[in-house]
């Protein structure tokens, strides 16, 4: 297929499915914690705006949660179908870690998800809040185990190789491997930021259309406080993560920097833009800042960063890809920090909800967190190549014995089915976002019954007919007046 070998197609297929999947857990993690905060604030203050926002976002959470579960199952099966040699070699480590995720996180989420989604008028407020918190905790525990497994593949330790298979000898070392704390903090924070900008963009869309309600203002304000406070923290976490990567995966850092040669003996410059050419072994058309690479990556002005030519050709990651994916991630992070600072200035001026340039900026920043996550994930995983378990097992040795034709066919089927199924799910979520929070939802203690008007508890019943722009025509006119 297009001259690609079976290994290439297996990697593309896994990259495609994980790119779809990672979006859903990221939003699920952020929304679960956001819902816990909203319900806690409602119980504490009694302000109905928090309750209305809870009922709005819980529907979106439910749909997103379902798509995350489905896409995650497909990925789990791919370990056996496309990467059976890897599963045979390292399954004694990755298998239990994924099983712990199911036993601790998924069961916790499943146990309380029903109460969270359908128990608003069936259990007491304390128990319902507890259920929401448990679901939020479950998403974070799930993140813990998934990142533990993936981080072990990046920086493996706590094992022995016996008869060609990995045997864990120290589970504490396996879980808390050198890169795990940094990657866990980086990913969890990224999920919170991605959700904040998704929420903020939703509010900005309504505010731009004249729906200036307390719910929209609260939603917008909370999202931007998160951006202001957390985006700079994420930059600091990223710096620590980079230092850790430099120590344990120097080839990845060299590829990210597009840095080829240290023969000059000079400190490493920071290449802002350029085109790393893997064949010519140089970065073409580069724009660089002297000394800045050493300053950022080693926190000194005299140390050098490892260069790609210090590694054998077969051990080098694809610098062309990771050079740019890393810069996309950093660009999104800088724009997030800008959004937070800009929002603080507008708050001081009293025009946070009326500045149309800023509202449009936040609207376009809606997918920025997800773009940053995908770019960061590409940087991490492609930068690990050619290893599936870094320094231990090559990716080429972990693939199943399938033909290129078989993998090409299944890849095409994945693309068609994923865009159809998850495209429909994404479209439905956008309908819910366009509808917006319903004021007073949750007031009725005895909903339903023959002939009784009610708000459905089922997420798929929430987006009623008429979710077009005319739904809030009166509110739009009132907002403009």
């Amino acid at each position: 297929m297009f001259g690609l070998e079976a290994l290439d197609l297996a990697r593309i297929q896994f990259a495609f499915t994980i790119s779809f999947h990672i979006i859903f857990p990221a939003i699920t993690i952020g929304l679960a914690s956001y819902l816990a905060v909203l319900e806690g604030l409602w119980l504490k203050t009694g302000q109905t705006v928090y309750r209305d926002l809870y009922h709005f976002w819980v529907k979106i959470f439910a749909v997103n949660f379902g798509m995350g579960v489905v896409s995650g199952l497909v990925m789990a099966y791919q370990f056996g179908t496309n990467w059976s040699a890897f599963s045979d070699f390292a399954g004694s480590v990755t298998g239990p870690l994924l099983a712990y995720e199911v036993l601790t996180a998924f069961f916790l989420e499943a146990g309380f998800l029903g109460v969270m989604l359908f128990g608003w008028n069936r259990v007491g407020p304390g128990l319902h809040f507890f259920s929401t918190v448990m679901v939020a905790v479950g998403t974070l525990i799930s993140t813990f185990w998934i990142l533990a497994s993936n981080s072990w593949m990046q920086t493996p330790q706590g094992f022995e190789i016996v008869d060609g298979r990995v045997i864990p000898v120290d589970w504490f070392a396996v879980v808390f491997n050198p890169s795990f704390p940094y990657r866990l903090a980086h990913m969890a924070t990224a999920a919170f930021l991605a959700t904040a900008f998704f929420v903020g963009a939703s509010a900005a869309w309504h505010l731009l259309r004249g729906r200036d309600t307390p719910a929209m203002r609260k939603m917008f304000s909370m999202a931007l406080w998160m951006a202001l406070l957390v985006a700079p923290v994420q930059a600091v976490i990223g710096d620590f993560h980079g230092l850790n990567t430099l120590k344990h995966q120097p080839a990845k850092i060299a590829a990210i920097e597009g840095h080829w040669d240290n023969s000059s003996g000079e400190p490493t410059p920071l290449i802002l833009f350029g085109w790393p050419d893997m064949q010519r072994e140089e970065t073409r058309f580069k724009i660089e800042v002297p000394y800045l690479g050493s300053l950022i990556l080693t926190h000194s002005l005299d140390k050098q960063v490892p260069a790609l030519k210090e590694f054998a050709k077969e051990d080098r990651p694809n610098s062309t890809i990771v050079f740019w994916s890393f810069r996309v991630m950093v660009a999104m992070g800088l724009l997030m920090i800008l959004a937070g600072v800009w929002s603080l200035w507008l708050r001081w001026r009293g025009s946070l909800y009326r500045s149309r340039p800023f509202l449009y900026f936040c609207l376009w920043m809606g997918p920025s967190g997800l773009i940053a996550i995908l770019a960061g994930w590409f940087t991490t995983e492609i930068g690990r190549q050619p290893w599936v378990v870094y320094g231990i097992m090559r990716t080429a040795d972990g693939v199943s014995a399938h033909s290129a034709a078989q993998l090409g066919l299944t890849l095409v089927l994945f693309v068609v089915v994923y865009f159809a199924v998850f495209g429909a799910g994404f479209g439905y979520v956008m309908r819910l976002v366009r509808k917006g929070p319903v004021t007073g939802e949750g007031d009725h203690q005895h909903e339903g019954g023959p002939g009784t008007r009610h708000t459905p508890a089922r997420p798929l019943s929430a987006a009623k007919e008429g979710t077009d722009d005319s739904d809030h025509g009166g509110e739009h006119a009132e907002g403009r007046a």
Side-chain angles (χ1 to χ4, degrees):
M1 181 179 180
F2 302 112
L4 297 173
E5 298 180 355
L7 172 62
D8 302 318
L9 291 168
R11 289 182 60 195
I12 291 171
Q13 187 177 119
F14 195 82
F16 176 79
T17 53
I18 197 173
S19 295
F20 262 88
H21 172 68
I22 197 173
I23 291 173
F24 304 124
I27 296 298
T28 299
I29 294 164
L31 276 186
S33 295
Y34 182 50
L35 289 168
V37 170
L38 288 174
E39 188 169 7
L41 290 172
W42 175 66
L43 291 173
K44 179 176 178 153
T45 67
Q47 296 181 28
T48 57
V49 64
Y50 295 115
R51 181 202 59 199
D52 295 337
L53 288 176
Y54 180 93
H55 284 288
F56 170 60
W57 285 107
V58 77
K59 298 181 181 75
I60 297 172
F61 169 83
V63 177
N64 192 82
F65 185 91
M67 291 192 291
V69 170
V70 173
S71 59
L73 288 173
V74 173
M75 284 183 52
Y77 279 111
Q78 278 192 328
F79 283 114
T81 57
N82 291 1
W83 301 98
S84 57
F86 161 74
S87 297
D88 182 59
F89 174 73
S92 57
V93 169
T94 59
L97 292 178
L98 295 179
Y100 297 153
E101 189 251 344
V102 172
L103 292 172
T104 59
F106 189 74
F107 283 5
L108 182 65
E109 293 168 323
F112 287 98
L113 185 64
V115 178
M116 175 184 172
L117 296 180
F118 309 114
W120 186 265
N121 294 324
R122 292 174 173 83
V123 299
L127 178 56
H128 191 276
F129 175 60
F130 180 75
S131 299
T132 303
V133 171
M134 287 299 99
V135 171
V137 170
T139 63
L140 293 174
I141 294 176
S142 178
T143 308
F144 178 95
W145 290 115
I146 295 299
L147 264 296
S149 177
N150 186 266
S151 297
W152 181 84
M153 294 165 63
Q154 300 279 345
T155 51
Q157 68 173 22
F159 68 96
E160 294 178 354
I161 297 179
V162 179
D163 296 330
R165 289 184 175 89
V166 169
I167 303 297
V169 296
D170 184 347
W171 276 108
F172 187 87
V174 167
V175 173
F176 294 97
N177 56 79
S179 65
F180 170 68
Y182 305 97
R183 302 183 74 244
L184 176 64
H186 202 48
M187 182 61 201
T189 307
F192 291 142
L193 282 172
T195 304
F197 279 92
F198 177 45
V199 171
S202 304
W205 188 85
H206 286 282
L207 289 169
L208 283 166
R209 300 180 69 82
R211 197 180 181 199
D212 191 353
T213 66
M216 295 307 169
R217 288 192 168 213
K218 185 64 68 176
M219 201 158 69
F220 196 56
S221 178
M222 293 177 74
L224 290 168
W225 277 123
M226 175 67 78
L228 176 66
L229 298 175
V230 178
V233 173
Q234 178 71 317
V236 174
I237 295 173
D239 179 62
F240 282 109
H241 185 17
L243 295 175
N244 177 266
T245 305
L246 177 62
K247 179 179 179 181
H248 296 282
Q249 295 177 308
K252 180 188 290 187
I253 291 295
I256 288 172
E257 295 304 310
H259 181 54
W260 290 90
D261 193 0
N262 277 330
S263 61
S264 66
E266 296 291 327
T268 307
L270 177 67
I271 301 176
L272 299 176
F273 302 105
W275 189 261
D277 190 323
M278 298 299 292
Q279 297 300 321
R280 296 174 58 169
E281 298 186 343
E282 65 174 328
T283 298
R284 305 168 65 189
F285 319 115
K286 60 185 178 182
I287 301 174
E288 60 185 22
V289 180
Y291 298 95
L292 192 55
S294 292
L295 180 61
I296 293 175
L297 289 163
T298 68
H299 292 182
S300 72
L301 289 174
D302 56 357
K303 295 180 181 179
Q304 293 182 323
V305 174
L308 279 168
K309 288 185 179 179
E310 297 174 11
F311 305 93
K313 286 187 176 182
E314 62 272 18
D315 293 339
R316 298 173 189 170
N318 190 315
S319 180
T320 310
I321 298 177
V322 299
F323 179 90
W324 281 105
S325 61
F326 178 79
R327 278 151 182 76
V328 168
M329 179 187 69
V330 171
M332 293 298 104
L334 292 175
L335 288 174
M336 291 176 189
I337 294 174
L338 172 62
V341 174
W342 192 354
S343 71
L344 184 64
W345 182 66
L346 291 175
R347 286 183 198 273
W348 177 72
R349 294 190 61 192
S351 56
L352 178 64
Y353 311 104
R354 299 191 304 273
S355 173
R356 295 186 71 82
F358 182 67
L359 290 173
Y360 274 110
F361 177 72
C362 289
L363 178 62
W364 285 104
M365 283 291 290
S368 62
L370 297 176
I371 293 172
I373 287 174
L374 287 172
W377 200 260
F378 293 158
T379 302
T380 296
E381 299 306 310
I382 297 175
R384 182 182 63 197
Q385 299 303 317
W387 307 98
V388 63
V389 182
Y390 195 79
I392 304 298
M393 184 184 200
R394 290 184 178 271
T395 306
D397 298 329
V399 71
S400 300
H402 297 313
S403 68
Q406 291 172 318
L407 287 165
L409 175 62
T410 55
L411 175 58
V412 171
L413 292 175
F414 270 119
V415 171
V416 172
V417 173
Y418 266 53
F419 274 107
V421 174
F422 296 117
F426 175 77
Y428 182 76
V429 168
M430 289 299 101
R431 287 186 64 190
L432 291 175
V433 169
R434 290 179 63 192
K435 183 176 178 62
V438 178
T439 303
E441 188 173 357
D443 284 336
H444 305 291
Q445 295 300 315
H446 302 287
E447 296 179 340
T452 302
R453 186 182 180 205
H454 67 285
T455 300
R458 291 167 292 143
L460 294 181
S461 303
K464 303 174 184 176
E465 294 182 2
T467 55
D468 57 8
D469 298 345
S470 63
D471 287 355
H472 304 299
E475 293 167 314
H476 296 165
E478 181 182 352
R480 295 189 188 98

